[in-house]
């Protein structure tokens, strides 16, 4: 690593003035160097300060951010933190450019994409509009968008998520920057698209000889593309070094924990290791393998037959466009087992889950729960079954009513279903459940906004448990959580299944997680079931092409044989 | 290893500060907001005191001469009062004798005796009053205080009713959508397409005079703004996951609408409520000014302003000033309080 | 043509145009005056309100009129050649018309000159009983002219009047003579002959314009209607066909104002004015300000401004500096409240009811009304008849009009006490006693309402206020649905009969809204009508006043004072009760006007 450094961060500290009296220190003095023509990964969980650090480079922090004079970011011989706004303006987009996580909100919805790309060109390269338009077409084809002449006039909402991200990338590389900062660019994308975008970035990095600062929480991605890695936790750099060193010989317990907490495709321990295991006791989790699988003899608790759901959208004055979301889906759920439901966005997996709960009305089909067709029940009859089949949603920040205390959230279902003969008993049960999911009893009196994402998901789980359900649908329940928190929640779910004999339908797009937690896996694509088989089977012997394609897209992580600069 | 977060301290069972407590604290930090709140509270207590009869109880008594000057203008001329003092216009002629044709004649003597026994008190009228007198010689300051009772009461009650109507209709339209929404939108369009004043005049012509009529009129014409906002809030929240979660656990429609969503929209409703209090106070004043407002034996700022029209030309400005200033101060304070409330209730809760 | 020639010709044309323009723009005498309330129509049969009649008086002409300056009011000839011959003890009136009177030009005459004919007066009378018009002025002739009631009844049944069918009481003897035969002797008929309701109307004009006749008044008077923007502006212009007439009047020797006015107009040809512009300005403030600006030529001072304009009864110095003339007078009107004699609570002729009504009358503080509400612009009306009307007795009084002690005593005596402890008096049988006051929504009416409420509170009688618009209340009043209502009556002619007809029994249903029907009163009324005006008649009127004081079917309030302010350039004018604004007797001194307005 004897190359020149493009950018040097020295003792960066960022403190936010939250309100008149309190401050929050997001970054507590970090230093790292970004070498020329290399890919640098900045890894950490949410709250680690990685995005804040990256934004500090470009001066894109909010007004209430305070950076002391001792912090320096050196670029081109000058300190960016002390640069004038004009100088920063000059650098942004030309020397250093950014791509963000959410392309839909990063693009201006009222301008065609060609114009937005052109804006960068006109501003920094001084091109005429005509020249800028032509160059925009070139860029679009370089980032792999088909029919670039047509697409250059499209509006952002007319493009898919992956295409939008490609447009962002086109904007970012338009001026051939020296440094590309990518802030979680693939987190919001499907796994197959993610693969393509990662390849695109890698290709561009090589072609244009630019440095890439890749911010992510996904170590699998890091292993595939990074040359150097910086691991951050709580605003502090825990470890940094070349990728080989990090993956093969991690020094810091946190790094080790991160590497271990992710469910892996080749191993299925009884319990997933969590950060605490490493931070406190230096690691050693129970590495016994857990057997999974469904046999013919297992009792079936839920059977779905030919489930169909078509959405009707209004088109024009009188027209209706039919969008079939779920097409003729049939499967069985065995008691005490987990059925994993995998697919990309738009595959219909979430719709299946909601339809089972009758949160959507199915167009046709049957859902037999202990023999009774749930879809045919009246509302009153359905009430009795509501408590037996429950759902945990994806977004822990939205599924709890912000105006209810945790106590209200937990006791409400009990009141509705007449569980517990009086309020005192209900409160007791709530306390018990809170400790069961690993939260202090004092949480009863608090509001959701006082909890982190993982804790909220636990509250949601506790809410479901109040009704002692038989079936629990987990709709992308861990997708929005950090790796370590995800591990904790998965462990919790597993414990509950072991203890209470719950049956799960686990919906996710994350194949590794699904493989870990499921006995049986169902792959869906565009509303249809592609393949159903036991978890191990599917991974070892995928029968359908789509399944194979899906499996191939999973970031494999570090491969010792990868050529690293 | 368990997944419990390390927390070995005994549970501290205290209630977390809820939205309202946090908002209250934020409001208290806002100096302007506190000041305006103090003014509004002062007005409301004045209104309550007046209602209980503690102050301005005898506002109707004619304490002063006609158009008595305010005490700070004690020396000024009062031509009107001078004119009134000459009340002697009887004739010197003897009363005509009607006894030959009058059926009451047999009881004349009894009549005189009774009349003599009835005492008639002559009230001494003051030359000046604290803030001047009106045409009848009533104390303008007391009238202003009593008038606040009507104006504030009408404003508050009408705003409450309008908010109630607007919230319920908005909740129904936003939550159910579909036909219910279409019907309510059509209903709303009718109400907003008719000019506001015409609607008020139409209602006023149909209903009988009185305070409740004004409240009903204002409530029935003023619910539209709240309806719009509440409907938007319900459309927004209705799609949120916590509502789906409530549905999943089996909460009824009513519970979802009013137990789950309503608290999340309550900050909007509260701000609307206070805005409407302000506009209804103004509307009541306009109604009374046009003669459609409170009946004769009650006083409101609107009637004071109506009386002040003609008084201003002859230079008697204190009634206009008293009513106008009272109203202006309250309305301004309330409006600014509304702004502060909105800031305090800003739900950037995560 | 050479350039200089073109120039000369152009100059000549321009000069001629300028001269013509200047000649045409010879200074016109334009009078600008306000109306307080909008007019309704200019059809004499249809309209009955003062303001419409102010305009009608200038366009139509009755056989007789009044002397502009003589007080007491005196009749004078208008289209009649001589005073009508009264024969058969006041039953037959023969009227001879002047020669050479023509109508104003109108397309309905087909371009020809139309002379006045006696049958034009017959036509005017017949229009009053036409069921299609439903004239509110029918009472002027109903019951008076022989055969008119029968004709009216017949017309009503057939729902149309046959104008060609003669009426026995109206005889057209020749082109200039008309004879009226009355149903019974009536000495007041001369006054009727001075009312413009009987002004000559041309049948062809009425038939030509049909229902739009109210906008096309065509008469023999000194002015014609030039422009009419309803409820906003009326413009009259001199009638070019008006005959040659000169100013004549008989001012009273002891009245300096009349003497002065006479000197201003003596010997002038009338009408002097070229144009009259009338503006309807309902609000007093704009009216007053327009007068102060010189945009109006006279105004009846709105009482709000009385203290600043005429403090202590004399024009303030700033007003005197403008040269404004102040002409106070008492209007021949009465402001009163009638009780509905058929009302179950308030009506009736028994001692209790009489006592009830008289008590309420005594409880009303007329002094406060005059001084506080009306700002001193009225005098107390002790009887129904204002000064200037035959029968008015300045010495008639029943004692102080406001006596709350006597009022309370009266109610106590006759059992109107609080029986159920709610603080309000009740009827002797225990049912509630409620005084329903019907009024309108305006600010002024609110003041009166407050006064009533105040006084009734002291008396201990509960008040219910009903607010509605005037036309709705009038409808209810005519149907006898109000228990009481307040009205005002302007004298049509200077005789007590004009007021007492409002209380005459048989008039219940037309003008007697309260339906007061007392035999003693009706008998006196008929006796008076059969006598010529004189001391005997006055004695009977006094007796009628006593009866009214006893039975109290009315509470009389005030006669209004008029504080007329006139601009210094207006000559010859003071307010006349019967010939209204009398624009024909007004002149403008343009030099004075220019001086004040520069």
């Amino acid at each position: 690593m004897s190359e020149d450094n493009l950018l040097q961060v020295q003792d960066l500290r960022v403190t936010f003035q939250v309100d008149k009296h309190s401050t929050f220190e997001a970054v507590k003095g970090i230093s790292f160097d970004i070498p020329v023509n290399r890919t640098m990964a900045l890894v950490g969980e949410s709250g680690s300060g990685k995005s804040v650090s990256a934004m500090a480079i470009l001066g894109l922090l909010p007004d209430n951010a305070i950076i002391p004079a001792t912090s320096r970011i050196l670029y081109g011989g000058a300190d960016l933190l002390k640069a004038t706004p004009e100088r920063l303006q000059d650098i942004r987009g030309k020397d250093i450019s950014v791509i963000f996580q959410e392309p839909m909100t990063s693009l201006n919805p009222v301008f065609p994409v060609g114009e937005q790309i052109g804006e960068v060109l006109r501003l920094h390269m001084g091109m005429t509009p005509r020249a800028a338009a032509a160059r925009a077409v070139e860029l679009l084809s370089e980032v792999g968008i088909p029919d670039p002449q047509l697409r250059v006039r499209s509006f952002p909402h007319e493009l898919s998520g992956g295409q939008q991200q490609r447009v962002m990338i086109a904007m970012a590389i338009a001026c051939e920057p020296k440094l590309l900062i990518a802030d979680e660019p693939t987190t919001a994308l499907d796994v197959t698209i993610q693969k393509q975008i990662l390849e695109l970035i890698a290709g561009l990095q090589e072609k244009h000889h630019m440095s890439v600062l890749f911010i992510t929480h996904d170590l699998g991605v890091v292993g595939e593309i990074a040359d150097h890695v910086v691991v951050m936790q709580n605003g502090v750099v825990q470890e940094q070094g070349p990728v080989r060193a990090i993956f093969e010989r991690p020094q810091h317990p946190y790094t080790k924990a991160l590497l271990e907490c992710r469910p892996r495709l080749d191993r299925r321990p009884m319990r997933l290791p969590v950060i605490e295991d490493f931070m406190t006791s230096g690691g050693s989790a129970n590495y016994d393998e857990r057997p999974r699988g469904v046999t013919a003899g297992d009792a079936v608790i839920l059977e779905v037959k030919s489930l169909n759901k078509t959405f009707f959208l209004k088109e024009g004055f009188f027209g209706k466009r039919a969008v079939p979301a779920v097409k003729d889906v049939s499967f069985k759920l065995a008691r005490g087992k987990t059925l994993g439901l995998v697919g990309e966005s738009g595959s219909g997996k979430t719709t299946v889950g909601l339809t089972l709960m009758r949160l959507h009305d199915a167009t046709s089909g049957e859902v037999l729960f202990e023999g009774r067709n749930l879809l045919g029940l009246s509302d009153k009859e359905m009430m009795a079954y509501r408590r037996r089949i429950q759902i945990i949603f994806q977004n822990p920040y939205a599924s709890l009513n912000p105006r209810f205390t945790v106590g209200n959230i937990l006791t409400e279902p009990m009141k509705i279903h007449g569980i517990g003969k009086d309020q005192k008993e209900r409160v007791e049960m709530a306390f018990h459940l809170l400790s069961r999911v690993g939260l202090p009893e004092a949480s009863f009196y608090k509001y959701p906004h006082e909890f982190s994402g993982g804790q909220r998901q636990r509250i949601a789980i506790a809410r479901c448990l109040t009704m002692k359900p038989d079936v629990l649908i987990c709709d992308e329940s861990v997708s929005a959580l950090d790796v370590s928190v995800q591990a904790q929640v998965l462990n919790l779910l597993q414990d509950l299944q072991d203890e209470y004999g719950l049956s799960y339908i686990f919906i996710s797009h994350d194949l590794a997680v699904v493989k870990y937690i499921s006995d049986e896996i169902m792959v869906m694509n565009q509303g249809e079931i592609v393949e159903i088989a036991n978890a191990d089977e599917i991974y070892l012997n995928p029968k359908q092409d789509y399944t194979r394609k899906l499996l191939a897209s999973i970031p494999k992580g570090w491969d010792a044989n990868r050529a690293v600069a | 290893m368990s997944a419990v977060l390390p927390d070995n301290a005994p549970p501290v069972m205290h209630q977390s500060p809820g939205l309202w407590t946090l908002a209250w604290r934020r409001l208290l930090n806002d100096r302007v907001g506190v000041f305006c709140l103090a003014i509004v509270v002062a007005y409301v207590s004045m209104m309550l005191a007046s209602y209980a009869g503690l102050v301005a109880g005898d506002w109707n008594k004619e304490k002063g001469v006609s158009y008595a000057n305010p005490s700070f203008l004690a020396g000024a001329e009062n031509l009107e009062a001078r004119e009134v003092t000459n009340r002697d216009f009887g004739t010197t002629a003897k009363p005509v004798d009607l006894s030959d044709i009058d059926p009451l004649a047999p009881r004349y003597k009894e009549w005189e005796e009774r009349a003599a026994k009835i005492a008639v008190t002559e009230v001494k009228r003051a030359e000046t009053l604290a803030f001047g007198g009106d045409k009848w010689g009533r104390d303008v300051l007391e009238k202003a205080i009593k008038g606040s009772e009507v104006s504030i009461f009408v404003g508050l009650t009408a705003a409450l009713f309008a908010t109630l109507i607007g919230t319920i209709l908005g909740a129904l339209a936003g939550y159910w959508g579909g036909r219910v929404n279409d019907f309510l939108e059509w209903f709303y369009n009718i109400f907003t397409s008719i000019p506001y004043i015409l609607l008020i005049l139409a209602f006023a012509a149909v209903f009988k005079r009185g305070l409740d009529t004004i409240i009903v009129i204002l409530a029935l014409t003023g619910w539209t703004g709240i309806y719009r906002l509440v409907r938007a809030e319900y459309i927004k929240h209705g799609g949120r996951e916590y509502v789906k979660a409530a549905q999943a656990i089996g909460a009824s429609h009513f519970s979802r609408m009013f137990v789950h969503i309503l608290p999340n929209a309550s900050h909007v409703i509260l701000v609307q409520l206070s805005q409407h209090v302000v506009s209804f106070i103004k509307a009541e004043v306009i109604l009374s000014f046009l003669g459609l407002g409170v009946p004769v034996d009650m006083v409101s700022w609107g009637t004071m302003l109506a009386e002040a029209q003609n008084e201003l030309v002859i230079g008697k400005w204190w009634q206009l000033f008293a009513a106008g200033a009272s109203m202006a101060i309250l309305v301004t304070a309330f409006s600014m309080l509304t702004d502060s409330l909105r800031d305090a209730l800003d739900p950037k809760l995560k | 043509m050479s350039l200089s020639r073109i120039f000369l010709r152009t100059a000549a044309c321009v000069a001629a145009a300028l001269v013509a323009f200047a000649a045409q723009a010879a200074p016109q005498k334009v009078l600008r005056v306000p109306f307080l309330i909008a007019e309704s129509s200019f059809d004499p049969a249809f309209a009955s309100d003062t303001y419409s009649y102010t305009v009608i008086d200038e366009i139509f002409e009755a056989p007789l009129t009044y002397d502009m300056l003589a007080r007491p009011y005196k009749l004078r000839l208008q289209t009649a050649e001589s005073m009508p011959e009264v024969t058969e003890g006041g039953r037959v009136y023969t009227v001879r018309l002047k020669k050479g009177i023509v109508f104003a030009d109108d397309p309905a005459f087909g371009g020809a000159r139309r002379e006045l004919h006696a049958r034009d007066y017959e036509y005017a009378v017949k229009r009053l009983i036409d069921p299609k018009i439903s004239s509110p002025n029918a009472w002027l002739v109903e019951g008076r002219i022989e055969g008119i009631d029968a004709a009216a009844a017949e017309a009503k049944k057939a729902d149309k009047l046959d104008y060609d069918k003669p009426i026995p009481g109206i005889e057209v003897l020749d082109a200039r003579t008309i004879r009226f035969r009355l149903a019974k002797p009536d000495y007041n008929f001369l006054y009727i002959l001075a009312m413009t309701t009987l002004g000559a109307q041309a049948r062809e004009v009425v038939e030509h314009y049909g229902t739009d006749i109210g906008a096309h008044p065509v008469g023999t008077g000194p002015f014609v209607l030039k422009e009419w923007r309803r409820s906003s502006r009326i413009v009259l212009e001199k009638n070019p066909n008006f005959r040659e007439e000169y100013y004549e009047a008989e001012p009273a020797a002891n009245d300096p104002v009349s003497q002065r006015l006479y000197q201003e107009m003596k010997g002038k040809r009338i009408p002097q004015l070229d144009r009259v512009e009338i503006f309807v300005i309902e609000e007093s403030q704009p009216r007053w300000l327009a007068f102060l600006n010189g945009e109006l030529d006279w105004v009846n001072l709105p009482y709000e401004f009385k203290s600043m304009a005429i403090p202590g009864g004399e024009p303030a110095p700033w007003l005197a500096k403008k040269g404004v003339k102040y002409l106070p007078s008492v209007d021949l009107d009465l402001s009163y409240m009638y009780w509905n004699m058929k009302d179950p609570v308030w009506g009736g002729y028994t001692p209790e009811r009489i006592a009830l009504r008289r008590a309420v009358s005594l409880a009303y503080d007329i002094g406060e009304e005059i001084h506080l509400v009306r700002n001193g612009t009225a005098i107390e009306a002790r009887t129904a008849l204002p000064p200037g009307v035959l029968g008015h007795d300045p010495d008639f009084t029943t004692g102080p009009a406001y006596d709350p002690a006597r009022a309370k005593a009266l109610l106590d005596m006759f059992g109107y006490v609080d029986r159920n402890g709610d603080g309000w008096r009740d009827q002797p049988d225990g049912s509630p006693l409620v005084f329903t006051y019907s009024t309108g929504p305006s600010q002024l009416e609110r003041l009166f309402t407050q006064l009533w409420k105040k006084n009734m509170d002291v008396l201990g009688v509960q008040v219910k206020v009903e607010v509605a618009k005037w036309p709705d209340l009038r409808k209810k009043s005519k149907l006898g649905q109000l228990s009481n209502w307040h009205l005002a009556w302007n004298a049509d002619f200077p005789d007590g009969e004009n007021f007492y007809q409002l209380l005459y029994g048989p008039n219940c249903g037309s003008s007697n809204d309260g339906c007061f029907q007392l035999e003693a009163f009706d008998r006196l009324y008929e006796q008076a009508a059969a006598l010529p005006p004189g001391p005997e008649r006055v004695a009977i009127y006094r007796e009628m006043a006593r009866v009214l004081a006893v039975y109290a079917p009315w509470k009389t309030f005030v006669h209004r004072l008029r504080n007329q302010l006139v601009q210094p350039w207006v000559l010859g004018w003071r307010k006349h009760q019967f010939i209204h604004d009398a624009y024909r007797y007004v002149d403008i001194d343009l030099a004075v006007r220019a001086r004040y307005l520069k």
Side-chain angles (χ1 to χ4, degrees), chain A residues 271 277 359 383 386 390 393 395 398-399 401-404 412 417 440 445 447 449-450 455-456 463 467, chain B residues 1 3 5 7 13-16 18-19 241-242 244-245 247-251 259-260 263-264 266-267 350:
Chain A
R271 297 182 56 81
D277 297 343
L359 294 175
M383 272 302 261
R386 280 234 178 265
Q390 275 299 313
F393 292 95
N395 186 353
S399 60
N401 191 333
R403 299 297 169 87
F404 277 29
E412 187 191 6
H417 294 278
Y445 300 100
Y447 285 89
H449 67 265
E450 302 178 62
Q455 289 169 321
R456 290 191 212 198
R463 173 169 62 185
M467 293 175 274
Chain B
M1 199 160 310
L5 295 173
D7 184 357
M13 304 294 188
H14 68 272
Q15 187 75 359
S16 239
L19 165 79
E241 277 187 355
Y242 71 86
K244 277 218 199 58
Q247 184 182 8
I249 62 170
V259 177
H260 280 266
N264 283 290
S266 56
H267 60 281
K350 287 192 295 290

Side-chain angles (χ1 to χ4, degrees), chain A residues 251-313:
Chain A
Q251 299 296 311
H252 198 277
Y254 182 71
T255 320
K256 292 186 197 161
L258 273 188
L259 288 169
E260 291 297 319
C261 289
R262 251 196 75 76
R264 294 155 62 129
L265 289 171
D266 54 349
R267 289 215 302 250
R268 192 193 282 122
M270 289 292 280
R271 297 182 56 81
L272 281 173
V274 290
I275 302 274
E276 277 66 36
D277 297 343
F278 289 84
M279 302 297 272
T280 52
S281 61
S284 83
N286 186 349
Y287 279 140
D288 295 337
E289 289 286 320
R290 176 188 286 272
R292 287 202 188 273
V294 173
T295 59
D298 289 324
V300 167
I301 185 159
L302 191 72
E303 185 176 344
V304 175
K305 287 187 180 166
S306 302
L307 189 64
N308 268 300
K309 171 73 189 152
T310 311
F311 288 104
F312 291 97
L313 303 175

Side-chain angles (χ1 to χ4, degrees), chain C residues 299-552:
Chain C
V299 75
N300 181 11
L301 176 67
Y303 56 74
E304 301 95 285
F305 311 113
K306 181 160 159 284
S307 309
M308 77 158 149
I310 43 172
E314 286 299 321
W318 64 267
L319 199 57
K321 202 154 56 128
K322 283 174 168 281
V324 168
K325 297 181 263 202
Y326 170 51
L327 299 171
S329 57
V330 180
D331 278 346
L332 264 66
D333 70 4
L334 172 70
S335 177
Y336 68 97
M337 179 180 89
Y338 75 77
W339 294 101
N340 186 350
M341 298 305 278
K342 295 216 165 110
D343 186 276
V345 179
W346 298 92
Y349 305 86
T350 58
E352 297 87 53
R353 299 302 173 83
I354 292 174
L356 179 62
R357 294 193 294 271
R358 281 163 72 169
V360 171
S361 297
L362 284 169
Y364 184 74
D365 191 346
I366 191 71
E368 275 213 332
E369 177 182 324
I370 291 175
H371 287 284
L372 269 185
V373 183
R374 293 184 184 270
N375 222 358
T377 55
I379 58 172
E380 188 195 350
R382 287 195 290 277
T383 65
L385 309 181
V389 165
L390 188 74
H392 167 73
D393 183 354
D395 292 332
F396 189 100
T397 174
T398 52
Y402 173 59
D403 197 332
R406 287 183 77 209
K408 289 186 194 172
L410 204 49
L411 288 182
D412 292 338
M413 261 174 38
F414 282 91
Y416 289 97
V417 291
D418 182 10
R419 285 171 198 279
N420 56 7
D422 64 353
W424 299 112
R425 292 181 190 266
D426 305 298
Q427 297 184 56
D429 65 357
S431 43
L433 180 68
V434 176
F435 176 70
T436 309
Y437 185 71
S438 313
T439 184
S442 80
Q443 201 42 41
L444 176 61
E445 285 158 306
R446 202 184 157 94
L447 286 173
F448 279 104
T449 313
Q450 283 173 330
L451 187 54
W452 268 104
K453 183 102 189 8
K454 237 177 24 144
N455 292 141
M456 289 295 107
D457 282 348
V458 165
L459 187 62
V461 173
Q462 210 175 0
V463 176
K464 187 167 92 127
V465 178
E466 256 185 29
V467 178
K469 285 245 161 267
W470 197 87
D472 296 326
L473 288 175
R474 185 169 189 277
K475 220 186 301 182
K476 280 192 170 176
S477 172
K478 289 292 177 195
L479 292 171
Q481 287 171 354
L482 300 177
S483 69
N484 61 73
W485 201 30
H486 42 276
L487 294 167
W489 180 260
N490 261 313
D492 296 310
F493 50 84
D495 190 280
E497 184 211 300
N498 188 237
F499 288 82
Y500 287 139
Q501 55 90 13
L502 296 166
L503 290 161
Y504 183 50
N507 277 345
C508 171
S510 58
S511 53
N512 184 354
D513 281 12
C515 212
F516 175 65
Q517 289 166 322
L518 192 70
E519 216 207 294
F521 185 84
D522 294 343
R523 244 183 300 121
L524 288 168
Y525 182 87
E526 286 149 11
Q527 274 176 24
L531 293 169
E536 284 177 10
R537 189 191 265 209
V538 171
I540 297 182
Y541 284 159
R542 190 170 186 281
E543 191 53 34
M544 291 164 84
R546 286 200 330 140
V547 170
L548 292 181
V550 166
Y551 286 92

